[in-house]
Amino acid sequence: MTGIILKKELHMLFVSPLAWILLTIIQVILTWTFLGRLDVFLEIQPQLLQIANPPGFTEIVITPVFALAAIVLLMITPLLSMRLLAEERRNHTLTLLISAPLSLADIVLGKFFSVMVFFGMVIVLLSTLSATLALGGTLDWGVLFSNVLGLLFVAASFSALGLYLSSLTSQPVIAALGTMGILLALWVIDLAAGNTNAWLRDLSLLRHFERFNQGVIDTFSVVYFILFIATFLILTIRHLDAERLHG
Amino acid sequence: MTEEAVNLTLSVENLSHRYSAFTGVNSINFEMRRGEVLGLLGPNGAGKSTTMRMLTGNLAPSTGSVLICGVDLLKNPDTAKIHLGYLPEIPPLYQNMSVDEYLRLAATLHRVASHCLESAVIETRHHCGLDGRGRQIIGTLSKGFQQRVGIAQAIVHNPDVIILDEPTSGLDPNQIREVRHLIGALATHSSVIFSTHILSEVENVCDRVLIMHQGDIVFDRKMGDIHQQQIHLDAIFTDLTQKHENPEEQRQ
């Protein structure tokens, strides 16, 4: 039954111009940066040859482009996630879904996966772009893979949080602002981490993404992302259920 | 006796809901049979909508149980809800979908098999007077047509119990008459509950009248008995729903 909600959400997303505009903007920004980094690489290539064990274009092109992609996804998540539940509530259409023979988990997961399909498309486009580098040299496929995985994890974390905030209100704008604020705070929280409160660093989404970005798939980070996603999805289901209980 | 059990579509026992500040519905009981049309009357705030929301799983009751075609709504919501069609007070319409897309979605959500989907949509559209509107975007329809789409959404899967919350509000007299006809036609194979403020509507369409006041059922009669005993619905409504109001005011 999750599939029905997923299909409906994708239909609603892609009949509106929003999804296409966002896809275009993201693709333009990322391709622009990609070409810029490629230029830099070609410029410094002669100097690189003189170093023993020089960094290849995976480090110089792919790593920074994926780091930027993570920020771009952070920025557009609120735009996609705000309407998921807040708009259904505002238009009174949530009743249709709740009166249907569906569980709340079906509704929440269907909506979550719809955003993930969108992000999946962004990531596929970006990976294809990166893979074209293999035409001109040797690409470190391992680093590319860990970047793709890392980007999927951060995108899923963003969406889960956005979905939860969208379930709290009937004002999409409030959901968007809340999501943006919390995501930015979680992104940069490691700046606040000193010697005494080093645990703050472990809360930072950026910190965990950086590991993947450098080509390290750390179990700790994987667990962090999975817990983060599961927590917010469960909170969303619990919140909708509580609403049903108390009216 | 067994036939009676088969025909029983809805049975509500000791159903109540307490909001944090007050009791919305206070331990109500009633049963419905196939082919019955029940008019739910009551002043605003009497608990009509709360009752309907509980019958459709949108609100969890504080106590009591709801059986729909013998399936417990609280224990097996997924099975029970297949037999339910619900039109809330504000129709749950996706403004940027076309009528057909919306009805197809409503039908799939209620597990209409994919090979019957198209025929179900076409049939429902015809019943609700939406012929030729299939491709129109819901947001561009007039209020009356939107209300019809709302009703269509509630009946597209041929449910055994149809619950309509003020289906005629905001419609013009012609449309109200059409909705009445539709309710009559639906009653041949289902049970229909609808709430309204228009007393004459109840007299024309219903087999049975239920009046709620302050969360209690204060009146429950068959239409036949009402005619036989020459009870004036108007008078009894005023009598039942106003006499309790004074102590309420004193309490406040």
Side-chain angles (χ1 to χ4, degrees):
Chain A
M1 295 308 276
T2 309
I4 300 173
I5 301 287
L6 173 62
K7 216 175 114 191
K8 174 212 142 222
E9 287 299 323
L10 286 176
H11 176 263
M12 293 186 73
L13 185 61
F14 283 101
V15 291
S16 79
L18 177 77
W20 302 105
I21 294 174
L22 283 178
L23 272 178
T24 314
I25 294 175
I26 298 168
Q27 199 57 21
V28 167
I29 294 176
L30 294 181
T31 314
W32 193 284
T33 320
F34 179 83
L35 292 174
R37 295 303 302 181
L38 198 59
D39 257 351
V40 171
F41 175 76
L42 292 174
E43 247 169 56
I44 61 172
Q45 200 178 19
Q47 286 123 292
L48 285 177
L49 287 175
Q50 291 154 17
I51 321 173
N53 222 343
F57 47 34
T58 315
E59 285 82 2
I60 291 175
V61 182
I62 291 182
T63 306
V65 171
F66 271 81
L68 177 75
I71 306 269
V72 173
L73 293 191
L74 187 150
M75 294 296 177
I76 61 161
T77 301
L79 292 175
L80 289 170
S81 67
M82 65 176 184
R83 30 169 291 284
L84 290 176
L85 285 159
E87 201 174 71
E88 297 254 14
R89 186 172 293 131
R90 199 178 55 172
N91 296 339
H92 305 278
T93 44
L94 203 54
T95 324
L96 176 74
L97 304 183
I98 291 179
S99 315
L102 292 174
S103 67
L104 292 174
D106 287 327
I107 299 174
V108 170
L109 287 178
K111 285 174 176 286
F112 171 73
F113 285 125
S114 76
V115 182
M116 285 316 290
V117 168
F118 179 87
F119 284 146
M121 289 169 70
V122 173
I123 294 172
V124 165
L125 285 172
L126 181 59
S127 315
T128 320
L129 188 66
S130 308
T132 54
L133 284 179
L135 297 173
T138 39
L139 188 66
D140 188 337
W141 293 101
V143 173
L144 180 61
F145 173 73
S146 109
N147 267 295
V148 168
L149 193 65
L151 207 51
L152 266 175
F153 272 130
V154 277
S157 308
F158 295 165
S159 319
L161 182 87
L163 186 58
Y164 175 58
L165 282 164
S166 180
S167 79
L168 296 179
T169 167
S170 53
Q171 307 275 350
V173 177
I174 304 286
L177 286 175
T179 309
M180 177 69 83
I182 295 176
L183 284 180
L184 279 176
L186 279 174
W187 196 249
V188 297
I189 202 171
D190 64 323
L191 295 179
N195 288 327
T196 48
N197 46 10
W199 57 272
L200 276 180
R201 195 165 291 144
D202 293 333
L203 284 183
S204 164
L205 281 164
L206 175 65
R207 249 329 133 108
H208 291 283
F209 176 68
E210 264 176 358
R211 309 282 292 159
F212 284 94
N213 199 214
Q214 288 152 3
V216 184
I217 299 178
D218 187 346
T219 337
F220 175 51
S221 297
V222 173
V223 172
Y224 169 85
F225 281 129
I226 290 175
L227 280 178
F228 190 100
I229 298 159
T231 305
F232 283 105
L233 289 180
I234 291 168
L235 279 176
T236 312
I237 298 173
R238 300 274 312 198
H239 182 77
L240 290 180
D241 203 35
E243 228 167 42
R244 208 176 53 85
L245 284 175
H246 307 298
Chain B
M1 195 64 207
T2 42
E3 200 182 333
E4 185 113 306
V6 171
N7 278 330
L8 203 65
T9 48
L10 176 71
S11 114
V12 175
E13 230 172 87
N14 277 329
L15 194 70
S16 16
H17 184 82
R18 275 182 286 281
Y19 290 102
S20 48
F22 63 100
T23 303
V25 172
N26 191 11
S27 190
I28 58 169
N29 294 283
F30 66 93
E31 282 180 349
M32 280 191 77
R33 280 166 186 76
R34 202 174 291 279
E36 215 173 6
V37 180
L38 179 106
L40 194 55
L41 292 174
N44 283 324
K48 301 186 301 280
S49 290
T50 306
T51 306
M52 291 184 155
R53 287 179 64 204
M54 282 196 281
L55 295 182
T56 54
N58 278 273
L59 188 65
S62 309
T63 61
S65 67
V66 178
L67 291 183
I68 293 160
C69 296
V71 187
D72 191 323
L73 178 69
L74 301 172
K75 289 190 187 122
N76 296 310
D78 286 8
T79 328
K81 283 174 181 174
I82 296 177
H83 304 290
L84 264 179
Y86 176 42
L87 170 71
E89 221 169 331
I90 302 163
L93 305 175
Y94 289 106
Q95 301 288 336
N96 50 7
M97 278 190 185
S98 74
V99 173
D100 276 356
E101 278 166 358
Y102 178 71
L103 291 182
R104 244 177 258 137
L105 171 70
T108 344
L109 281 174
H110 285 96
R111 311 209 178 153
V112 173
S114 54
H115 62 271
C116 322
L117 200 64
E118 280 312 308
S119 61
V121 168
I122 292 169
E123 205 175 299
T124 313
R125 222 169 52 198
H126 180 68
H127 276 311
C128 300
L130 288 163
D131 283 323
R133 302 274 174 173
R135 295 179 64 88
Q136 205 163 338
I137 302 296
I138 294 177
T140 65
L141 292 170
S142 68
K143 163 87 180 145
F145 275 107
Q146 292 199 358
Q147 190 74 18
R148 292 184 201 193
V149 179
I151 297 175
Q153 159 275 126
I155 63 174
V156 69
H157 51 290
N158 254 324
D160 298 297
V161 180
I162 300 167
I163 298 180
L164 309 169
D165 201 347
E166 300 192 15
T168 53
S169 73
L171 300 184
D172 67 38
N174 293 333
Q175 293 168 332
I176 291 180
R177 206 168 45 241
E178 283 165 21
V179 171
R180 281 184 202 160
H181 279 305
L182 180 61
I183 291 176
L186 291 172
T188 53
H189 49 85
S190 319
S191 307
V192 184
I193 305 182
F194 77 97
S195 70
T196 179
H197 287 298
I198 307 165
L199 298 176
S200 65
E201 201 165 278
V202 178
E203 281 170 335
N204 287 326
V205 188
C206 298
D207 308 313
R208 194 170 143 201
V209 182
L210 222 135
I211 300 180
M212 285 188 81
H213 183 53
Q214 294 177 355
D216 293 307
I217 293 179
V218 289
F219 182 86
D220 180 359
R221 292 279 171 85
K222 289 236 160 57
M223 211 63 219
D225 296 345
I226 293 177
H227 285 310
Q228 216 168 25
Q229 295 169 15
Q230 297 191 324
I231 301 172
H232 280 287
L233 218 46
D234 234 343
I236 200 117
F237 182 85
T238 320
D239 190 37
L240 285 169
T241 56
Q242 281 192 340
K243 72 176 179 197
H244 302 290
E245 242 158 50
N246 290 338
E248 175 74 9
E249 271 164 19
Q250 277 163 16
R251 228 187 302 159
Q252 283 169 347

